[in-house]
Amino acid sequence: EQTVVLITGCSSGIGLSLAVRLASDPAKIYKVYATMRNLAKKERLLDCVKGLHKDTLDILQMDITDQRSILDARDRVREKRVNILVCNAGVGLMGPLEAQSLATMRQILEVNLLGTISTIQTFLPGMKAQGHGRILVTGSIGGLQGLPFNEVYCASKFAVEGACESLAILLQHFNIHVSLIECGPVNTDFLDNLQRAEPGDSSLQQVDAHTRSLYDTYLQHCGMVFQNAAQDTEDIVKVFLDAIQSSNPAFRYYTNNALIPLSSPKISALDGSQYIRNMSKIIFSTNGKGEQK
Ligand code: NAD
């Protein structure tokens, strides 16, 4: 019997790579439902799987902010079961907080937080009834530590951590494992897809000059971090496979060990001030390098 895997956000990036890898498994042990908000974007996935994968891949429309669309996708799963649910879809938002509109902030929370939670909610009864299941969530370093100019994104990803940890405690009683795959920077469309305040934006012009100059520094830092430390989606997929293949998966997996030391002051100095100082130094230090070494 095939392991049925349903993945959200498969038109690009991590979701696409994971879908391709699982659907191309030589032993054909996975049946992948690669879902995406906009089916017009399915060509890229189809190009990557090359050839026919009728028995291992199906592509379904699913917008995680639309309850109807989640339910429709669920009902189209022919096996009538999902063994592994991968909540991967997400969007970024970057810029000074004062430059963000309420509508934009809502949209980020709608996708990253409520979209993830309502996807899990929809598939939970089936998993409970079948007596087993895996829920894998693409987490972010931004869900473990605050990052300047990413307040709303971090808030959404921190919130996902809270939801998953809470669920993990309960779901042990149902033989359902929840795991977060915590990613640092990954080479995907994420930076292109994220909503970002750009230098010419009128919303940014209203922000004070000091904040704008710190934002410039941050953007340089961010560019450098992506250049030096970004992983390829294949690296992330390997970690997903570790979690999928483990008989007793951990709650958290870190894709990039280099990023763990950044979080450790949060644990060793519980008042939080050391992490804030360290991060400020790393990002805004005047040597202009901001290298995380
Ligand atoms: P990506 O932009 O290539 O992929 C995100 C996917 O989510 C896209 O295919 C997009 O269409 C989809 N999506 C957005 N809104 C959706 C909706 N309402 N319904 C369904 N799908 C929707 O970027 P990625 O890096 O592959 O992102 C995947 C996940 O990884 C996200 O949750 C992101 O927060 C997380 N992540 C990415 C990075 C990074 O540096 N790339 C770092 C940490 C975490």
Side-chain angles (χ1 to χ4, degrees), residues 86-278:
V86 182
C87 295
N88 164 77
V91 277
L93 176 66
M94 218 183 255
L97 189 60
E98 305 94 301
Q100 316 295 1
S101 73
L102 186 57
T104 305
M105 296 193 283
R106 246 192 206 123
Q107 182 57 22
I108 299 302
L109 291 166
E110 200 71 53
V111 177
N112 293 357
L113 174 59
L114 295 174
T116 300
I117 289 184
S118 54
T119 304
I120 294 174
Q121 203 182 31
T122 305
F123 289 91
L124 207 46
M127 283 190 175
K128 283 181 171 174
Q130 75 205 15
H132 63 87
R134 298 276 173 102
I135 298 170
L136 301 179
V137 178
T138 311
S140 171
I141 210 73
L144 302 170
Q145 54 192 43
L147 300 168
F149 301 112
N150 283 271
E151 292 80 6
V152 179
Y153 177 72
C154 287
S156 73
K157 292 292 188 183
F158 268 65
V160 167
E161 296 279 326
C164 289
E165 195 166 280
S166 303
L167 270 172
I169 299 168
L170 175 73
L171 295 181
Q172 286 201 317
H173 297 274
F174 295 88
N175 192 25
I176 300 171
H177 296 273
V178 181
S179 298
L180 283 150
I181 312 301
E182 312 286 11
C183 304
V186 189
N187 290 314
T188 64
D189 292 354
F190 186 75
L191 278 190
D192 297 328
N193 287 341
L194 67 64
Q195 306 206 36
R196 178 191 349 213
E198 302 287 356
D201 290 1
S202 59
S203 61
L204 198 55
Q205 293 315 312
Q206 290 160 18
V207 176
D208 68 276
H210 191 196
T211 303
R212 276 190 275 135
S213 125
L214 290 168
Y215 183 46
D216 280 345
T217 310
Y218 171 75
L219 286 177
Q220 281 171 33
H221 165 83
C222 194
M224 210 139 44
V225 167
F226 264 84
Q227 211 166 36
N228 296 335
Q231 293 179 285
D232 289 327
T233 55
E234 284 72 24
D235 302 324
I236 310 303
V237 167
K238 276 192 197 126
V239 182
F240 268 97
L241 278 174
D242 279 351
I244 288 172
Q245 290 164 352
S246 162
S247 56
N248 188 22
F251 177 62
R252 284 200 182 91
Y253 289 82
Y254 300 88
T255 66
N256 185 343
N257 288 335
L259 296 167
I260 296 173
L262 283 177
S263 279
S264 59
K266 286 188 62 158
I267 298 154
S268 55
L270 279 178
D271 79 357
S273 48
Q274 200 193 334
Y275 170 73
I276 291 171
R277 258 196 317 273
N278 288 3

Side-chain angles (χ1 to χ4, degrees), residues 9-160:
C10 290
S11 61
S12 59
I14 298 166
L16 183 146
S17 284
L18 182 63
V20 170
R21 167 64 184 82
L22 296 178
S24 315
D25 193 273
K28 301 194 175 196
I29 53 174
Y30 301 105
K31 169 65 183 285
V32 179
Y33 286 89
T35 73
M36 56 185 72
R37 183 178 35 181
N38 180 1
L39 283 182
K41 292 191 178 162
K42 71 178 177 190
E43 292 310 321
R44 197 157 150 193
L45 173 60
L46 287 173
D47 282 350
C48 291
V49 290
K50 295 181 209 94
L52 281 175
H53 282 77
K54 264 205 179 111
D55 42 354
T56 60
L57 179 71
D58 246 329
I59 300 177
L60 299 177
Q61 195 276 337
M62 180 164 149
D63 177 345
I64 63 166
T65 63
D66 177 351
Q67 186 66 36
R68 187 69 258 162
S69 139
I70 305 177
L71 289 168
D72 285 349
R74 183 198 62 186
D75 294 345
R76 290 206 177 96
V77 173
R78 265 183 264 124
E79 293 78 1
K80 297 293 166 210
R81 67 169 194 280
V82 169
N83 301 106
I84 303 177
L85 173 66
V86 182
C87 295
N88 164 77
V91 277
L93 176 66
M94 218 183 255
L97 189 60
E98 305 94 301
Q100 316 295 1
S101 73
L102 186 57
T104 305
M105 296 193 283
R106 246 192 206 123
Q107 182 57 22
I108 299 302
L109 291 166
E110 200 71 53
V111 177
N112 293 357
L113 174 59
L114 295 174
T116 300
I117 289 184
S118 54
T119 304
I120 294 174
Q121 203 182 31
T122 305
F123 289 91
L124 207 46
M127 283 190 175
K128 283 181 171 174
Q130 75 205 15
H132 63 87
R134 298 276 173 102
I135 298 170
L136 301 179
V137 178
T138 311
S140 171
I141 210 73
L144 302 170
Q145 54 192 43
L147 300 168
F149 301 112
N150 283 271
E151 292 80 6
V152 179
Y153 177 72
C154 287
S156 73
K157 292 292 188 183
F158 268 65
V160 167

